[in-house]
Structure formats: C-alpha cells, structure tokens
Amino acid sequence: YKMNIRKIYIGLSVIAFTLMVIYACTSKTSGKYSEILGSTSDVVHFNEMIDSIVLIRVQEDSTTVLGTISKIEVGNGDFYALNQQHNTIVRIDSLGNCHSQLRNIGKSKTEYIRIDDFSIDNELGILALLCDFTKVIYYDLNFNLLKVNILDVPLYRICLWEGNLYGYTTEDNSIVRIDNHTIQKIIETDKIPFWIYSQTPIFHKTGGKLLATLECDNRIYEINNNKAKELSIFTYNNYEEIRQKYMNPPTSHTKTSLYEETPLRVQYLTLKNDKLLMIYSKDMLVRIAVFNLKNKSIVRDGVFIGSPSPLWNTSNASLAFSFETGNSLPVDSSYLHKIVKQNKYQDEGLVIIKYVIR
C-alpha cells in the first residue's frame, strides 16, 4: 500500500515537472511581441485604417493670433490649439469659430515668456499650461486664472489625467507625478546622451486610459493610480546596436550612420477594444502597426501612405489634426483624393482634420 502511494507521488511529481517545463518553454514575457517592427515592406493605405474624416475650416478674425499649430486638445467639445510661434492658445468651437485666446506674456509670476506644452482635464474643467520649463499655470476652460505652481525640476511635456498632473523630464528620461512641490517618479529608463529629446508626444489619452512612451525606448506604458505597468514591449531591426551608437560619442565615421539608422519614434497611439494602433517613424519613413493586446501579436505593420495629415505631407496652409475613435460622417476615397491632388486648402488659414479610426 505504501509502495503504491509512493509510486503515485513520484508519478504526480514527474507530471508537474513536465508541465512546468512545457509552460516555461511556451509562455511569453508579459506584453512582449516576438515580431520585429519595420521588417516588412508592406504598404498600409490610409483608407484601411481611417473610417472617415471631418474637415473644420477655422474662421479667423482680426483679434485672433493664428499660425502654425503644434498641438490640439479637446475640452467640453471645443478645440484648444497651441501656437508656439506666438505663445498663444486659441479656443475654437466645433464649427470653426474662434471664441477666445490665452496670451499672457511677461515676467511676473502669473505671466510667461514661452509656452512649452499644455493639457486639459475635462472632468475638472481645468487647463494646465507648462511655461518656461519650470512653471505650471492653471486656468479654467474660459482662461480664468486658478493658480501657479513653480517646479523644482524642468519639464518638457505635461499631462492632466484623473486629477493628477504628470510630466516628462529629459534630466533622466523619466515620467513624474507633480503634487504641489513634491515630485514622484512613475517611469524611469536609460537616458541616451546623443539623442535629441522632446521631438515626439509622450502622453497618449485613448480608450479611457493614459498611455505613455519614452524616447529611445521600446515599451508602451499604461499609467493608472499613479503607477505604471508595461502594456507592450516591441522591438525593431538592430535595436540594441542603434541604442549603443547613441550611447557613445559620435565620430567622423559614425555620424553618417546615425542619420541612416535612427531609433523608432512613436508619433501616435489609439486604443480600441483589444487593438492598439501605433503610428511611428523609422529611418525617415512613417509606418503604422496594429497590436492585438489579447494574444500578443502584431496584426499589421507597414509603410503608411495616402493620408493628407501634416505629419508626413507638407502644405502651405497650417494644418492641425485630431484623432478619435467612433462614428462620424463618411467620406469616400475619391473626396480624399480631390483634397490631396487639387490642393483644395493650399491657402493661408487653419484647417482642423479630425480622423475617425476604424
């Protein structure tokens, strides 16, 4: 009887060990994808990813300072557009009418020399302005002053989310949470010495979540309750080799290769159900990838063509852009073709192009 129990115990131990080995060999690192981004020569057309677009022609007046728009956020249905050339934020309604503008240049505590970034919290009805890298000025959505916060650490990007203010600093390539004068590090990674920072968005509000990407990094993070987790880990050709190039001082024989092979830059993220769409640039090409977060696979990856977006098309007009998911008025491909080929909006003025992702 004891021998039978011993045989059963040994048999169960062997089975358990075998299952552990099988699991260890087949399981993937959480969030990690085996596919290599940018390795295909596939082409992804604009119409495959965009369900529709809405064009909003902005009606300028003599009191509004408009020009090249570097960022747009939506607050209570209105567009808030940042013009860094004039250090101005303009509030524009859904019909394109300019209602008011924020421009308060000066040297007092409530004034600024330049605007570096801004962010909106729709639930609280608050707009935060990052000025001169070390000052955050809070307003309501009608541009009434609320408070001023002087920072101990210079920031280059900010994001208001669920009542919290997050910021990105290039001091150590990290994301921090700012609470009055308290700085709490949320995400930190290696700082690449020979890399030009603050060239891409850091924070991405999408699908009811706050996502973040750091420059010269291969991870997509989700920030929740003042903590961060890795939502996705991707790789691309020669990732480690390229990082090492930027870690060391460039020499005469490496300067050319630095321009030829560059780290991947994430330009835009949008989350819809279990699909994460990422527009990124690599080696002077704009590409698009679609991740399936449920089974950790890359559904599509290719060169993105056919879009009139200012990200990869030059224009004499100032073009701002706003992405969102949902339903909108359908626009067929022939109309898109007319806009691009006939240069319908190649004049002085601002057009907001709102893309609706499939």
Side-chain angles (χ1 to χ4, degrees), residues 59-246:
Q59 307 299 319
E60 301 182 40
D61 55 45
S62 58
T63 62
T64 304
V65 179
L66 285 175
T68 302
I69 301 301
S70 58
K71 181 178 181 179
I72 279 187
E73 283 210 19
V74 178
N76 289 346
D78 290 337
F79 297 101
Y80 289 76
L82 170 60
N83 178 349
Q84 285 185 304
Q85 181 182 1
H86 297 288
N87 292 296
T88 303
I89 292 183
V90 181
R91 182 163 67 95
I92 306 165
D93 67 20
S94 59
L95 299 178
N97 300 307
C98 297
H99 284 275
S100 55
Q101 68 175 0
L102 175 62
R103 191 168 190 261
N104 196 18
I105 296 177
K107 295 184 178 180
S108 72
K109 183 178 180 180
T110 59
E111 296 174 323
Y112 55 82
I113 302 300
R114 55 169 285 160
I115 300 176
D116 302 297
D117 195 12
F118 80 101
S119 183
I120 290 175
D121 189 323
N122 271 292
E123 293 185 4
L124 299 179
I126 294 175
L127 182 149
L129 209 65
L130 175 63
C131 308
D132 310 323
F133 301 120
T134 57
K135 182 189 295 186
V136 178
I137 308 177
Y138 295 86
Y139 301 86
D140 64 21
L141 295 184
N142 292 316
F143 298 145
N144 296 308
L145 179 66
L146 297 177
K147 66 176 182 177
V148 179
N149 188 7
I150 305 300
L151 305 172
D152 297 325
V153 176
L155 300 179
Y156 293 81
R157 295 282 187 272
I158 59 171
C159 179
L160 279 173
W161 182 256
E162 296 182 342
N164 295 299
L165 178 66
Y166 299 99
Y168 169 68
T169 173
T170 63
E171 295 292 300
D172 50 8
N173 197 21
S174 65
I175 291 177
V176 298
R177 174 178 172 265
I178 301 97
D179 184 8
N180 292 324
H181 295 285
T182 304
I183 303 292
Q184 173 193 356
K185 284 189 179 181
I186 304 296
I187 304 170
E188 183 179 5
T189 187
D190 297 333
K191 181 175 180 179
I192 310 300
F194 299 94
W195 178 248
I196 302 174
Y197 286 88
S198 301
Q199 301 297 306
T200 58
I202 299 295
F203 301 101
H204 308 264
K205 301 175 182 178
T206 175
K209 297 179 184 294
L210 175 60
L211 306 184
T213 53
L214 291 173
E215 299 198 40
C216 231
D217 191 25
N218 67 329
R219 287 164 288 186
I220 299 171
Y221 303 89
E222 178 185 349
I223 300 175
N224 187 27
N225 293 325
N226 300 325
K227 296 180 180 178
K229 69 175 183 179
E230 294 176 352
L231 184 68
S232 174
I233 306 171
F234 57 83
T235 187
Y236 51 88
N237 285 331
N238 303 324
Y239 168 68
E240 291 296 339
E241 291 85 347
I242 293 172
R243 278 177 58 89
Q244 286 304 313
K245 284 182 182 179
Y246 284 87

Side-chain angles (χ1 to χ4, degrees), residues 294-322:
K294 192 172 183 180
N295 61 19
K296 305 302 177 190
S297 63
I298 299 177
V299 181
R300 290 296 305 274
D301 180 32
V303 179
F304 199 23
I305 65 170
S307 167
S309 166
L311 279 175
W312 48 87
N313 252 335
T314 57
S315 169
N316 293 328
S318 296
L319 296 177
F321 58 94
S322 173

Side-chain angles (χ1 to χ4, degrees), residues 13-66:
S13 299
V14 172
I15 293 172
F17 177 77
T18 305
L19 290 175
M20 289 173 63
V21 171
I22 293 172
Y23 176 79
C25 293
T26 58
S27 63
K28 294 182 179 180
T29 303
S30 177
K32 192 169 185 179
Y33 293 76
S34 58
E35 296 94 337
I36 297 177
L37 285 179
S39 60
T40 71
S41 57
D42 294 348
V43 170
V44 181
H45 198 273
F46 173 75
N47 292 345
E48 295 181 53
M49 295 297 171
I50 307 299
D51 178 69
S52 58
I53 66 170
V54 176
L55 299 176
I56 302 170
R57 185 66 180 269
V58 178
Q59 307 299 319
E60 301 182 40
D61 55 45
S62 58
T63 62
T64 304
V65 179
L66 285 175

